[in-house]
Amino acid sequence: MSSEPSAPVSSSSVAGLAAVEAALARACLDAGRPRAAVTLVAVSKTFPAEAIVPVLEAGQRTFGENRVQEALAKWPALKARHPDAALHLIGPLQSNKAAQAVTLFDAIHSLDRPSLCAALAKAIAQHGRHPLLFVQVNTGAEPQKAGVLPEAADGFIAACRDDYGLTISGLMCIPPVDEPPSPHFALTAKIAARNGLALLSMGMSADFAAAVRLGATHVRIGSAIFGHRG
Ligand SMILES: *Cc1c(COP(=O)(O)O)cnc(C)c1O
């Protein structure tokens, strides 16, 4: 697979951002939550820098990418122009890319195994950068999907803290595509609450209103802003 951005430039990404902002504000209002309680992570994976610049210039400051190599190709130049932009890794992370991830990203949403904990702890100590860490929970127990199983989550979170000295800030989930998402969001929120975790990364273009209703603090929205990925 190529790491080159391949999707076409969307001329309407600024309009997409405005529409998502309006819908997100509405979802927060309906949920009785302040808009400031939810961070919009604009998922720019596969889109080239030219598509991202207008969204940065429109004021969006938090972006999500799912691959380290692609993010390394696009973001150093974008961050040079917008130093206050924050970058979140939302896709799986290989342990041998942990150091690159710790230097480039401000948050990592996909912590799911002890070997990655060890690599991240080492990289954090070496580089002195402390990205926010989310444990990914495979709430649907899907074999092809990353994440710890719900019944293993408490033990894994404890191991992150006690065995690796990591500060875990929250949980992330990606519900199965063919199921109603709300039970998965509710389960993720319940596991977070009993482990004292304040942050919840859940909700995408199709289901972020439900996620906001169930306590999402980070919604990861790509296609509703940037258009369909090529
Ligand atoms: C691509 C991706 C998203 C964004 O999905 P959309 O449906 O385009 O909003 C969110 N989360 C993860 C983990 C992704 O890989």
Side-chain angles (χ1 to χ4, degrees):
M1 275 209 302
S2 162
S3 63
E4 290 302 308
S6 58
V9 173
S10 168
S11 56
S12 58
S13 54
V14 172
L17 176 66
V20 165
E21 265 300 345
L24 187 52
R26 179 65 207 235
C28 289
L29 197 63
D30 288 349
R33 301 180 60 209
R35 169 65 188 86
V38 184
T39 298
L40 170 58
V41 181
V43 177
S44 50
K45 66 186 184 192
T46 78
F47 288 94
E50 306 86 81
I52 301 170
V53 166
V55 177
L56 274 163
E57 288 176 350
Q60 174 63 24
R61 280 296 172 274
T62 305
F63 290 81
E65 291 281 345
N66 69 334
R67 297 169 70 201
V68 174
Q69 294 312 312
E70 181 184 339
L72 275 171
K74 294 192 309 202
W75 279 94
L78 292 168
K79 276 203 167 189
R81 289 167 64 179
H82 298 278
D84 58 339
L87 196 55
H88 289 216
L89 179 64
I90 60 169
L93 176 59
Q94 294 171 260
S95 296
N96 65 7
K97 298 208 174 93
Q100 286 175 310
V102 162
T103 55
L104 183 63
F105 290 97
D106 302 290
I108 295 171
H109 292 231
S110 51
L111 187 49
D112 68 351
R113 59 194 190 282
S115 59
L116 182 56
C117 291
L120 284 173
K122 187 177 160 198
I124 288 166
Q126 264 173 8
H127 297 280
R129 282 196 94 245
H130 293 77
L132 285 178
L133 299 178
F134 295 77
V135 167
Q136 182 174 351
V137 183
N138 184 0
T139 55
E142 296 173 279
Q144 81 284 7
K145 203 166 267 176
V148 298
L149 293 173
E151 59 268 29
D154 295 356
F156 180 72
I157 293 161
C160 287
R161 292 167 166 162
D162 302 340
D163 300 346
Y164 299 98
L166 294 173
T167 299
I168 303 299
S169 295
L171 300 182
M172 181 271 245
C173 76
I174 309 170
V177 288
D178 55 350
E179 288 182 27
S182 288
H184 296 273
F185 297 150
L187 174 59
T188 305
K190 185 175 152 191
I191 297 169
R194 72 175 179 237
N195 285 281
L197 299 174
L199 303 184
L200 288 169
S201 168
M202 53 191 205
M204 308 184 4
S205 290
D207 57 17
F208 66 86
V212 166
R213 207 151 45 233
L214 288 160
T217 62
H218 291 69
V219 292
R220 311 177 309 267
I221 301 181
S223 50
I225 297 172
F226 291 100
H228 289 293
R229 289 177 287 273

